[in-house]
């Protein structure tokens, strides 16, 4: 093989080097990268000698493309360095044109396209991006996009629910059914937080006509001050006739009956306690929000007393549904004394047991309740009394709502019932529904207790009735418990 001339002119070197670069670029496919390290394998001494030889300048070099110089044969760039030294004699540095171009040029020529067609190679696909490869900004954008889509779904669902509820209310309030309209107004008016809703859909005079019909009704006020007279107090209408209830050893047993109760618009639970001595009306020790006193939950009442069952009892001060359960809305009698309330004020729907464990119900003053022998008692301002001295009251009205009520049979057995409400499978019960139910199960005295979101029954450590709200039970100041 010919060896390069030891002293060629610089112009000859430039021309030969350009041909060498053109040959190398033509042998690369257009898709193929030309890394710098590949130049060392290409510019072998054989190729350099072939291209720099005047005799073989126009002849193609027949060399092995895969030829790699062995160790000790010298650097493939030795010939190139020799020509650079020769060029330094006439110039301060070698011109840019004589430097090899290790990377292919942008535009493909016909001379390059022909060899490229022979040696075309498919470009390897880029590896898929992994979660680890994502930037922090990309992960944040992805999380925000998911959060945004979730919020859209939630807001759309809520909007549809609101539209559906408004449509239902409009059908009820503007439809032809007077009963449906009356039940809607009464049901919402009995709640603490939704009393304003009927006025949004009905004229105020229509709402008032439903709440206060013209037919005569029994007074149901809470704090009516009366001059105290012992003679009047001893003749309280709430005093239960002793002969209606006969508690004997034959009637008393340790049996507890838990039964399901159902009606047209409601379902619930009733607990029948055959030993009235096991029933206790319990209350918190101190009252009043002015002293920072709060109510406790029904579970707390049961845990503190060791009871095996219990329900909510009397009402409590609850403005706009934001009460803390620490202030009774009525009277509380504990150990035969007034724990809360006035002896001169008449209270609606007083419920209490005397020392013989006979249930007393009725509207009476605090002193009348004490004179009737009540040792444990509460009241519920909204009422009403359902059955008194064996006579069922009718025309009680009321909306469909969760309810709690208590009654006593003639054999002394105590009936505790809780009605679930504000659910698709149990809307709730009216006061008349409760009176009919208590009469059906043999009650001779019965009264309504606090209801709504307070209604709950716990038995053997488990709440066996479904609450009316998603937030769960509420704190309260009184409870009816069943001791072991």
């Amino acid at each position: 093989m010919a060896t390069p001339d030891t002293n060629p002119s610089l112009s000859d070197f430039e021309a030969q080097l350009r041909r060498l670069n053109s040959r190398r670029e033509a042998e690369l496919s257009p898709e193929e990268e030309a890394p710098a390290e590949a130049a060392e394998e290409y510019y072998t001494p054989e190729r350099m000698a072939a291209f720099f030889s005047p005799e073989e300048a126009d002849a193609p070099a027949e060399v092995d493309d895969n030829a790699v110089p062995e160790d000790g044969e010298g650097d493939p760039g030795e010939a190139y360095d020799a020509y650079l030294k020769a060029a330094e004699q006439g110039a301060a540095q070698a011109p840019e044109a004589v430097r090899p171009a290790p990377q292919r040029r942008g535009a493909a020529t016909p001379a390059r396209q022909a060899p490229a067609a022979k040696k075309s190679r498919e470009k390897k696909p880029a590896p898929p991006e992994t979660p680890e490869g994502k930037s922090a900004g990309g992960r944040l954008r992805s999380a925000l996009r998911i959060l945004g889509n979730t919020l859209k779904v939630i807001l759309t669902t809520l909007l549809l629910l609101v539209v559906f509820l408004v449509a239902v209310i409009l059908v009820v309030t503007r439809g032809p059914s007077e009963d449906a309209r009356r039940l809607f107004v009464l049901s919402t008016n009995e709640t603490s937080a939704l009393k304003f809703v009927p006025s949004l859909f009905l004229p105020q005079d229509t709402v008032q006509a439903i709440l206060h019909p013209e037919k005569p009704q029994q007074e149901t006020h809470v704090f009516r001050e009366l001059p105290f007279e012992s003679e009047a107090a001893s003749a309280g209408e709430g005093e239960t006739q002793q002969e209606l209830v006969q508690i004997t050893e034959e009637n008393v047993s340790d049996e507890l009956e838990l039964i399901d109760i159902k009606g047209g618009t409601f379902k619930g639970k009733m607990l029948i306690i055959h030993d009235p001595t096991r029933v206790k009306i319990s209350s918190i020790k101190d009252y009043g929000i002015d002293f920072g006193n709060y109510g406790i939950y029904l579970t707390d009442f049961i845990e503190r007393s060791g009871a095996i069952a219990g329900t909510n009892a009397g009402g409590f001060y609850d403005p706009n549904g934001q009460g803390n359960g620490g202030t009774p809305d009525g009277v509380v009698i504990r150990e035969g004394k007034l724990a809360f309330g006035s002896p001169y004020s008449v209270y609606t729907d007083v419920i209490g047991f005397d020392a013989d464990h006979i249930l007393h119900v009725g509207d009476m003053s605090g002193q009348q309740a004490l004179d009737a022998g009540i040792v444990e008692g509460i009241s519920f301002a909204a009422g009403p009394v359902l059955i008194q001295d064996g006579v069922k009251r009718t025309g009680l009205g009321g909306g469909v709502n969760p309810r709690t009520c208590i009654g006593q049979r003639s054999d002394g057995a105590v009936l505790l019932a809780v009605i679930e409400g504000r659910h698709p499978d149990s809307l709730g019960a009216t006061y008349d529904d409760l009176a009919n139910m208590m009469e059906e199960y043999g009650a001779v005295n019965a009264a309504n207790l606090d209801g709504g979101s307070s209604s709950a029954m716990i038995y053997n450590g488990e709440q066996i009735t479904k609450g009316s709200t998603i937030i769960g039970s509420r704190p309260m100041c009184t409870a009816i418990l069943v001791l072991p």
Side-chain angles (χ1 to χ4, degrees), residues 231-429:
E231 294 180 358
S234 63
E237 64 170 323
E239 187 174 356
T240 303
Q241 298 177 2
Q242 298 289 332
E243 60 270 16
L244 284 178
V245 179
Q246 299 294 326
I247 302 175
T248 63
E249 293 183 359
E250 292 78 11
N251 298 333
V252 175
S253 70
D254 294 335
E255 182 183 4
L256 294 178
E257 291 184 64
L258 180 64
I259 60 177
D260 294 323
I261 50 178
K262 293 184 179 180
T265 60
F266 66 88
K267 65 183 182 70
K269 300 287 185 181
M270 176 179 285
L271 186 63
I272 303 176
I273 306 100
H274 289 268
D275 183 0
T277 64
R278 300 173 64 182
V279 179
K280 176 180 178 60
I281 297 179
S282 181
S283 62
I284 59 177
K285 183 177 180 181
D286 298 308
Y287 310 100
I289 56 176
D290 294 337
F291 301 98
N293 297 314
Y294 290 77
I296 61 177
Y297 293 96
L298 180 57
T299 52
D300 298 323
F301 275 108
I302 291 177
E303 290 176 1
R304 293 181 181 183
S305 63
I308 62 173
T311 69
N312 61 296
F316 54 87
Y317 182 62
D318 191 28
N320 301 319
Q322 302 299 316
N324 65 2
T327 304
D329 187 12
V331 68
V332 177
I333 300 174
R334 183 170 57 213
E335 297 179 353
K337 299 178 181 180
L338 285 177
F340 190 87
S342 168
Y344 311 113
S345 299
V346 173
Y347 300 96
T348 302
D349 195 19
V350 176
I351 305 112
F353 288 94
D354 62 21
D356 295 324
H357 308 287
I358 295 176
L359 179 66
H360 296 248
V361 297
D363 301 342
M364 61 188 82
S365 69
Q367 187 60 49
Q368 288 173 329
L370 294 177
D371 292 342
I374 295 177
V375 294
E376 292 179 349
I378 46 89
S379 67
F380 181 48
V385 172
L386 304 173
I387 302 174
Q388 187 174 21
D389 298 337
V391 180
K392 182 182 72 173
R393 295 188 177 182
T394 59
L396 299 174
V400 286
N401 275 307
R403 307 286 185 189
T404 303
C405 59
I406 186 173
Q408 188 174 40
R409 298 189 318 204
S410 60
D411 62 356
V414 177
L415 312 177
L416 275 177
V418 172
I419 303 298
E420 298 176 355
R422 300 171 188 167
H423 297 289
D425 59 341
S426 182
L427 299 178

Side-chain angles (χ1 to χ4, degrees), residues 11 49 51 53 56-57 59 72 102 110 127 136 156 179 204 255 282 298 307 354-355 369 392 421 428 452 466:
S11 60
F51 274 86
S53 174
E56 302 178 13
T156 302
D179 291 338
Q204 188 63 30
E255 182 183 4
S282 181
L298 180 57
D354 62 21
K392 182 182 72 173
K466 186 189 305 182

Side-chain angles (χ1 to χ4, degrees), residues 58-372:
D58 295 328
E62 297 180 357
V63 295
D64 185 5
D65 290 342
N66 298 322
V68 178
E70 298 179 359
D71 295 341
E73 289 187 4
D75 189 348
E78 289 180 355
Y80 175 64
D81 293 338
Y83 285 102
L84 286 181
K85 290 179 181 180
E88 287 177 356
Q89 298 177 0
Q93 60 182 5
E96 195 70 21
V98 304
R99 297 180 182 178
Q103 298 183 355
R104 64 183 179 86
R105 296 169 184 170
T109 61
R112 296 172 57 191
Q113 292 175 356
K118 297 179 181 180
K119 296 184 178 182
S120 61
R121 302 175 183 175
E122 294 183 359
K123 189 176 181 181
K124 296 182 179 180
E129 187 177 13
T130 61
E132 292 77 11
K134 293 184 178 179
S135 64
R139 291 194 297 270
L140 178 60
R141 287 192 297 271
S142 177
L144 291 176
R145 183 166 57 252
I146 295 174
L147 179 61
N149 294 335
T150 304
L151 290 177
K152 288 179 181 178
V153 173
I154 294 175
L155 292 176
T156 302
T157 304
L158 291 177
L159 180 60
L160 292 176
L161 287 175
V162 171
V163 171
F164 174 75
L165 289 176
V166 170
V168 171
I169 294 175
L170 287 174
V171 171
V172 171
T173 56
R174 303 291 182 177
S177 176
E178 292 287 344
D179 291 338
R181 184 160 45 249
R182 181 180 61 84
L183 283 176
F184 169 74
V185 174
L186 293 175
S187 300
T188 53
N189 185 71
E190 290 172 357
T191 66
S192 300
L194 300 177
K195 296 180 183 293
F196 67 94
V197 174
S199 300
L200 299 177
F201 299 90
L202 292 170
Q204 188 63 30
D205 55 350
T206 303
V207 175
Q208 292 302 318
I210 294 174
L211 296 178
H212 307 289
E214 295 181 357
K215 64 179 182 179
Q217 284 191 338
Q218 184 182 1
E219 289 184 343
T220 56
H221 45 273
V222 181
F223 294 108
R224 183 180 65 191
E225 295 294 337
L226 296 177
F228 175 72
E229 296 182 5
S230 58
E231 294 180 358
S234 63
E237 64 170 323
E239 187 174 356
T240 303
Q241 298 177 2
Q242 298 289 332
E243 60 270 16
L244 284 178
V245 179
Q246 299 294 326
I247 302 175
T248 63
E249 293 183 359
E250 292 78 11
N251 298 333
V252 175
S253 70
D254 294 335
E255 182 183 4
L256 294 178
E257 291 184 64
L258 180 64
I259 60 177
D260 294 323
I261 50 178
K262 293 184 179 180
T265 60
F266 66 88
K267 65 183 182 70
K269 300 287 185 181
M270 176 179 285
L271 186 63
I272 303 176
I273 306 100
H274 289 268
D275 183 0
T277 64
R278 300 173 64 182
V279 179
K280 176 180 178 60
I281 297 179
S282 181
S283 62
I284 59 177
K285 183 177 180 181
D286 298 308
Y287 310 100
I289 56 176
D290 294 337
F291 301 98
N293 297 314
Y294 290 77
I296 61 177
Y297 293 96
L298 180 57
T299 52
D300 298 323
F301 275 108
I302 291 177
E303 290 176 1
R304 293 181 181 183
S305 63
I308 62 173
T311 69
N312 61 296
F316 54 87
Y317 182 62
D318 191 28
N320 301 319
Q322 302 299 316
N324 65 2
T327 304
D329 187 12
V331 68
V332 177
I333 300 174
R334 183 170 57 213
E335 297 179 353
K337 299 178 181 180
L338 285 177
F340 190 87
S342 168
Y344 311 113
S345 299
V346 173
Y347 300 96
T348 302
D349 195 19
V350 176
I351 305 112
F353 288 94
D354 62 21
D356 295 324
H357 308 287
I358 295 176
L359 179 66
H360 296 248
V361 297
D363 301 342
M364 61 188 82
S365 69
Q367 187 60 49
Q368 288 173 329
L370 294 177
D371 292 342

